[in-house]
Amino acid sequence: MRYGVLGPLAVWDAEGRPVRVPEAKVRALLANLLVHGGGPVPADRLIDDLWPSCPPGDSANTLQTKVSQLRRVLGRERVVREPAGYRLLLADDGRDGRDGRDGRDGRDGRDGRDGRDGRDGRDGNSVVDSVDALEFQELAERARAHREPSVRAELFAGALALWRGPAYADVAESLFARGEITRLEELRLNVVEEHAEARLSRGEHTALAAELGALVDLHPLRERLRTTHMRALYRAGRQGDALGSFQDLRRRLAEELGASPGPEASALHEAILRQETRLATPAVGSPSSRTNLPAPLTELIGRREAADQLLARLAPGGDTRLVTLTGLGGVGKTRLAVAAARDASGRFADGVWLVELAGLAATATPDDIAERVITTLGLCDTAASEPDLDDLVGWLCRAVADRRLLVLLDNCEHLVEPVAVLAGAVLSAVPAAHLLLTSQEPLDIPGEVVHPVPPLTLPDPTDPRTIAQAGAVELFVRRAAAAAPGFVLDADNAEAVAAVCRRLDGIPLALELVASRLRTLSPHELAARLDDRFARPDVRVRGLPERQRTLRGMLDWSWQLLTEDERAVLRRLVVCADGCVMASAQAVCADAGLGAGRIPDLLSRLVDRSLVVREGDRFRLLESVAAYGAERLAEAAEETVVHARFVRHCAELAERESERLRGPDQRRGLEVLDAETVNLRRALDLAVARDAAAYAVRLVNAQAWYWFLRGRLTEARRSLRTALAAGGGADPAARAAARAWLAGIELRTAEPGAEAAPTGGDPTEGVGDPVLRARLQWFVGTGLTGGGHHGDGRRLVEAGLAGARAARDRWGEAAALVELAGHAPGGDASAELGAALFVEAGDRWGRLRATRALALAAERGGDRERAERLHREGLLMAEELGLWTEVVEALIRLGGSALAGGRAERATELYERALSVSAERAHSVGEIRAEVGLGQAARLRGDLVTAGRHLNRARAKSHASGHAARAEAALAEPHPPPRA
């Protein structure tokens, strides 16, 4: 069992399904036991807590009745009575949970924890895993232990994502819970502040300046939160707002507490007035949210001069805007490009972004590459809000037209033509964009500067004293020392090391492959082996350029030194286009002759030999090794069977993670599917190419909801069409489900008012699973209502509601209720029930939808205060989920409420935040609405000049983006009288 107290009391079973605890007193009993953290609670204390004013006559028996009811829900063994009182067992085996297991171990192939994420490798169902409040505290402590801001920010974000509402919401008025509620709320606010500081330290000042305003309003006297917001405002260029925030703090402290700001806030105020340099944005070397460049695992060796040359070419405003690094595989193009891009990150206000193209098939189009760039830049949510988005290259160019950014496209050699098309379009349409490419051949388009990447410098054979200064020697010695601790370059081995480096032509990958051999060979023995190997003719490398023969010869030698089982793992890993976690490696590599239990040890040995690279929990092959492994896979005649295992594993993984997207593990499910996106795409391509239509349909059905949540509607539409066109072989019910998903997606990507194909019938007919059919009826129905087909849409949603209730699907019932609440008078009750069901399910996206429905109902009912409170709650949830169009919507709604109340200054602040987020996320509709709002706020202040400027900007943006009606409607409104 897992217990949730960070919100309404919730219980989930081993499979993550909600467990209903009936009756308020039984829930209060459970809450009381949880408050005490699994410790014993005397019966007298429980009676006083549960019936504080009037205990029942036979209170002991009444308490025993409630305990029995709780045991029937949780299991008799979980609520035990001891001499000291009643106790809730929080771990399955023993109170400390060290040796427990939860029955889900191995359900998804990951070790530790409870099958949900394996983040720290704990065994089984520990106490920390059993209660979300304990998990929250443990994640926060782990975050504090890290120095890296990016890691700290991610861990703090994970901790905050566990909160589903106010702690112990069911028993908030009970005396026994108040102390724990207060403690948890204070811990939450501390983590909110620490999370903001971590994000600020990695350069997210623009986003924080927009996001923290609502939190400061809710907690205006928290000086740590206030000073973080002030720093963000100052770094975002809003010095006046930062100073105004301090004045607001000083006024509130004086009026409410008769106090003055503390020394830290006062010192920050003085520093802002003096514009001290320490307040500036973090230095170039500091991690920033405006980049996704990986942290360097090792120092750049032998390439410092080349990196400086690249940096000089990447100067904003210069003539060079497209640089292509060329060279043979294994020479270090990617390593050099990433290092140079990191050095240049301070020059590009809108970030430096790495886009990996190795996982794309050779048949990819310019739109496929543009889609990868859109995803990397975090613009999927915005792109999904645009109708009929077929020209992704054009949309990308418009979205970043005013940005100053550097995009690194890695591994372009198999996509030269489509990359050339995309590069030409971006360079023409985005004057401040720079592109850095790695490829084995140039694009050959105007404006391209080709920068060849040679091997590392070799030692001069005529001067033994300079051996250590050669780049190839330095790399070899570093890797050799890592493989064989204690190894140093000295007079006895220098000549042998130099011979090895010259024999391998200074190719970094070849040097890294051979360095591990020093565990068993001396440098002289290694040099002799290499001389012997390359002296013999080898048919397999004939016809290749000399340096490619060198690398191929090293790969051949490394291959021959492997055991048969190691070779099997290496060649089978090739199918994982974007690397894989251990569980995936086991699923793909194991067979009847090679057990899954042996894969971890074999994979570890391949990592030790530098044939496999480990990055966090993922294992990857370098491009040269992958190409070599693909040849060996074909040579072993294993392509068909390994591809089939890979496709089957990907389908099962997608189906498993899809189930988590509607519950408390939603965030983790999204992260897993994000990480596996490239592999899942390849699995679909393989399924279609090999006529495995059943798996193709399973893959798209499992990912459809993920694509929707991530805003990848174009990918969803293309993938669903591809799977459905794959021919027969798929289960008819599965094909019917895919057609229904496609209908819902097409409705959301069609032009407004376009004729909807599914009208007049039920597009879910033929879907066998009643739960899935009800959910699809809701999905297609909401697509119809969004496109203006309200009658057909409502009919389908009502059918979905009836189907969900008949199938006892609480999530489907909640979704339908929330949708219907916006289309019927007095829909508050439906929205309230839907919200409660989403809370019970632990679905944060659903809670956001329900909160929005309740807020709109409150607006219609004239309850402005409640509407604002709900919009603020929705704003926080949208920010946590990264749904930026929802963030903008909430800010604009709050701005409109402030306008209606005559609060022009507050409206201006909210609309400015909406404009900032919209501009950052290329959300043109949001920019237009924010400009209109700013114009209306200026009118309310009586500033007609500023009002005209904002409204004219809205008009210009609307005509440029095809959304002219919004600005024109606002311009036609009568001017409100100036405020007295």
Side-chain angles (χ1 to χ4, degrees):
M1 290 290 182
R2 182 167 178 257
Y3 304 96
V5 300
L6 302 181
L9 187 66
V11 182
W12 299 281
D13 66 11
E15 297 300 324
R17 295 185 295 258
V19 176
R20 184 171 176 270
V21 180
E23 212 244 299
K25 288 298 181 187
V26 179
R27 294 173 67 83
L29 170 62
L30 175 58
N32 199 312
L33 296 173
L34 287 166
V35 163
H36 288 83
V41 189
D44 291 344
R45 174 72 177 274
L46 287 172
I47 292 169
D48 290 341
D49 288 344
L50 296 181
W51 296 279
S53 56
C54 52
D58 192 354
S59 54
N61 283 337
T62 304
L63 174 63
Q64 182 58 46
T65 299
K66 302 305 176 188
V67 170
S68 297
Q69 290 178 270
L70 184 59
R71 284 172 170 166
R72 281 197 292 271
V73 174
L74 304 182
R76 183 172 184 82
E77 72 285 357
R78 295 186 184 275
V79 184
V80 298
R81 183 165 189 177
E82 299 176 347
Y86 289 97
R87 184 161 69 84
L88 178 68
L89 291 181
L90 296 180
D92 285 349
D93 292 322
R95 183 175 175 184
D96 63 4
R98 284 189 294 268
D99 301 319
R101 61 183 179 81
D102 66 356
R104 282 176 290 174
D105 187 34
R107 181 164 63 97
D108 59 2
R110 287 186 290 274
D111 296 325
R113 288 187 66 93
D114 58 0
R116 288 176 287 120
D117 55 43
R119 276 174 287 183
D120 61 4
R122 288 193 300 273
D123 291 331
N125 187 19
S126 70
V127 172
V128 169
D129 291 322
S130 298
V131 185
D132 58 1
L134 298 178
E135 185 178 4
F136 166 75
Q137 294 172 73
E138 195 241 6
L139 282 173
E141 288 303 317
R142 286 171 55 202
R144 295 179 185 116
H146 276 277
R147 293 183 179 181
E148 170 59 50
S150 295
V151 177
R152 287 167 59 87
E154 286 301 317
L155 288 171
F156 281 133
L160 292 170
L162 295 172
W163 285 74
R164 298 168 289 109
Y168 287 96
D170 306 70
V171 292
E173 301 303 318
S174 300
L175 288 175
F176 72 81
R178 287 183 185 175
E180 180 67 359
I181 290 171
T182 301
R183 185 185 73 87
L184 288 172
E185 178 60 20
E186 182 61 26
L187 288 176
R188 186 188 72 82
L189 289 173
N190 285 336
V191 170
V192 167
E193 292 166 341
E194 291 174 285
H195 183 219
E197 290 171 351
R199 293 176 61 195
L200 186 63
S201 66
R202 67 179 190 178
E204 294 189 45
H205 43 272
T206 302
L208 284 168
E211 296 170 16
L212 291 183
L215 278 173
V216 170
D217 289 344
L218 290 172
H219 308 282
L221 300 183
R222 293 186 71 91
E223 292 195 30
R224 185 179 184 182
L225 180 63
R226 177 81 70 159
T227 55
T228 303
H229 189 216
M230 289 168 61
R231 286 190 177 91
L233 289 168
Y234 180 81
R235 290 179 183 175
R238 297 167 60 182
Q239 179 179 344
D241 290 339
L243 294 171
S245 181
F246 177 80
Q247 297 300 336
D248 179 69
L249 172 65
R250 181 160 58 186
R251 177 183 59 78
R252 287 177 180 271
L253 285 171
E255 292 177 355
E256 299 180 30
L257 302 176
S260 299
E264 182 181 350
S266 298
L268 177 60
H269 177 241
E270 292 296 325
I272 291 174
L273 288 172
R274 291 192 294 268
Q275 298 188 349
E276 294 182 3
T277 55
R278 66 182 176 88
L279 298 179
T281 302
V284 171
S286 300
S288 168
S289 66
R290 292 188 172 274
T291 183
N292 67 336
L293 294 178
L297 298 177
T298 56
E299 181 185 355
L300 183 67
I301 296 173
R303 300 288 195 196
R304 192 64 264 167
E305 184 178 349
D308 291 340
Q309 292 173 356
L310 267 181
L311 185 62
R313 284 177 163 170
L314 294 174
D319 295 333
T320 302
R321 295 174 53 219
L322 170 61
V323 179
T324 301
L325 302 186
T326 60
L328 64 116
V331 81
K333 300 184 295 296
T334 298
R335 183 76 176 85
L336 174 59
V338 170
R342 183 179 293 104
D343 291 342
S345 60
R347 300 177 173 182
F348 295 92
D350 295 300
V352 176
W353 305 96
L354 169 63
V355 183
E356 173 58 62
L357 301 181
L360 285 179
T363 56
T365 67
D367 274 351
D368 293 330
I369 301 170
E371 183 178 53
R372 186 68 62 89
V373 177
I374 289 169
T375 300
T376 301
L377 296 180
L379 304 179
C380 285
D381 188 38
T382 306
S385 68
E386 297 288 339
D388 200 23
L389 189 56
D390 288 321
D391 179 14
L392 288 179
V393 173
W395 187 89
L396 172 64
C397 291
R398 293 190 297 273
V400 300
D402 298 325
R403 298 196 182 190
R404 181 184 298 172
L405 76 169
L406 171 65
V407 178
L408 166 53
L409 300 174
D410 192 28
N411 293 313
C412 301
E413 49 275 343
H414 63 303
L415 299 166
V416 171
E417 291 299 327
V419 169
V421 173
L422 176 72
V426 170
L427 294 176
S428 298
V430 189
H434 286 61
L435 299 179
L436 179 60
L437 279 61
T438 69
S439 177
Q440 294 184 27
E441 60 178 292
L443 301 185
D444 288 331
I445 64 174
E448 180 185 29
V449 172
V450 179
H451 185 105
V453 180
L456 293 172
T457 56
L458 295 171
D460 185 351
T462 65
D463 188 358
R465 294 171 300 177
T466 63
I467 288 176
Q469 300 172 13
V473 172
E474 184 181 1
L475 176 65
F476 179 83
V477 170
R478 293 280 189 96
R479 299 297 181 263
F487 175 83
V488 293
L489 184 71
D490 55 29
D492 292 334
N493 61 30
E495 283 295 337
V497 169
V500 168
C501 293
R502 285 193 291 267
R503 198 70 188 87
L504 298 179
D505 293 322
I507 300 172
L509 178 58
L511 292 167
E512 296 199 13
L513 288 173
V514 81
S516 64
R517 300 299 164 199
L518 289 188
R519 291 194 185 98
T520 55
L521 301 174
S522 71
H524 294 86
E525 291 171 328
L526 180 59
R529 293 282 185 95
L530 288 173
D531 283 340
D532 177 63
R533 169 154 196 85
F534 286 106
R536 292 183 288 109
D538 192 333
V539 175
R540 293 169 56 77
V541 300
R542 288 176 184 167
L544 294 176
E546 182 177 351
R547 282 174 176 161
Q548 288 191 28
R549 291 203 302 271
T550 298
L551 180 58
R552 181 54 179 260
M554 272 312 308
L555 289 169
D556 282 339
W557 188 36
S558 297
W559 177 265
Q560 290 169 12
L561 292 172
L562 299 178
T563 66
E564 283 301 322
D565 289 341
E566 289 169 343
R567 293 178 185 178
V569 171
L570 183 61
R571 66 177 177 254
R572 293 169 186 176
L573 281 177
V574 169
V575 73
C576 300
D578 196 33
C580 62
V581 295
M582 181 62 73
S584 297
Q586 291 174 304
V588 169
C589 298
D591 60 12
L594 180 58
R598 298 190 55 214
I599 302 301
D601 179 60
L602 295 169
L603 200 50
S604 176
R605 284 189 248 163
L606 292 171
V607 171
D608 290 342
R609 289 166 170 78
S610 298
L611 289 165
V612 174
V613 177
R614 180 169 186 174
E615 298 175 358
D617 64 347
R618 295 187 75 80
F619 299 87
R620 302 179 188 277
L621 300 181
L622 296 175
E623 55 179 306
S624 300
V625 179
Y628 183 86
E631 292 182 21
R632 291 296 190 174
L633 185 68
E635 184 180 84
E638 289 185 338
E639 282 182 308
T640 300
V641 65
V642 172
H643 287 171
R645 280 204 298 267
F646 174 71
V647 170
R648 180 173 64 251
H649 168 69
C650 286
E652 292 170 353
L653 180 146
E655 288 168 345
R656 181 173 60 248
E657 297 304 325
S658 178
E659 289 300 311
R660 300 165 70 177
L661 297 182
R662 295 180 176 86
D665 291 332
Q666 184 178 72
R667 183 187 180 94
R668 179 58 187 165
L670 289 169
E671 290 171 350
V672 170
L673 290 171
D674 286 343
E676 298 297 338
T677 289
V678 174
N679 286 333
L680 292 170
R681 286 171 178 162
R682 181 162 195 204
L684 178 59
D685 290 341
L686 287 172
V688 171
R690 297 181 176 275
D691 294 325
Y695 279 112
V697 172
R698 283 178 62 184
L699 279 162
V700 295
N701 282 340
Q703 293 180 82
W705 185 240
Y706 162 74
W707 287 324
F708 174 77
L709 289 178
R710 282 300 194 220
R712 299 178 184 173
L713 301 189
T714 302
E715 179 178 2
R717 181 176 59 185
R718 183 185 63 248
S719 300
L720 285 160
R721 288 174 176 173
T722 299
L724 287 169
D731 176 61
R735 289 182 60 82
R739 285 194 297 269
W741 281 119
L742 179 59
I745 295 294
E746 288 180 331
L747 286 165
R748 288 164 170 82
T749 54
E751 289 283 0
E755 183 60 32
T759 57
D762 184 353
T764 68
E765 187 174 353
V767 178
D769 180 358
V771 171
L772 178 59
R773 181 174 185 182
R775 292 178 178 181
L776 285 169
Q777 286 172 325
W778 163 82
F779 186 68
V780 178
T782 53
L784 285 166
T785 56
H789 302 274
H790 298 287
D792 289 320
R794 180 169 178 174
R795 175 183 56 78
L796 270 180
V797 174
E798 288 173 343
L801 175 60
R805 284 174 168 166
R808 299 184 181 277
D809 175 24
R810 311 284 272 178
W811 190 96
E813 181 181 358
L817 285 169
V818 169
E819 175 65 20
L820 292 172
H823 299 279
D828 294 24
S830 294
E832 292 279 7
L833 178 55
L837 292 172
F838 274 134
V839 167
E840 183 180 303
D843 186 332
R844 300 178 69 77
W845 175 88
R847 286 182 56 211
L848 173 61
R849 294 277 298 196
T851 301
R852 171 67 50 75
L854 289 169
L856 296 179
E859 284 182 1
R860 291 192 297 268
D863 190 346
R864 188 182 304 148
E865 182 177 343
R866 182 168 186 259
E868 287 190 13
R869 177 177 58 79
L870 290 166
H871 281 311
R872 283 195 298 270
E873 291 178 8
L875 173 62
L876 293 176
M877 283 187 277
E879 288 171 341
E880 290 170 1
L881 290 170
L883 299 176
W884 300 109
T885 55
E886 295 285 351
V887 168
V888 171
E889 180 69 24
L891 288 169
I892 288 174
R893 292 281 182 179
L894 286 167
S897 181
L899 271 184
R903 293 169 289 152
E905 289 80 4
R906 176 62 176 156
T908 299
E909 178 188 346
L910 290 162
Y911 285 128
E912 284 178 346
R913 289 173 59 196
L915 182 61
S916 174
V917 176
S918 296
E920 185 174 349
R921 298 288 166 175
H923 184 24
S924 57
V925 174
E927 288 186 74
I928 294 165
R929 295 177 65 191
E931 291 280 17
V932 170
L934 287 168
Q936 292 171 334
R939 284 179 177 177
L940 187 60
R941 295 194 306 269
D943 186 351
L944 300 184
V945 174
T946 300
R949 185 166 63 247
H950 283 299
L951 292 171
N952 284 325
R953 282 179 190 163
R955 171 181 280 166
K957 290 177 180 178
S958 65
H959 284 296
S961 60
H963 298 286
R966 293 186 183 275
E968 295 300 334
L971 288 166
E973 292 179 4
H975 292 199
R979 189 177 54 183

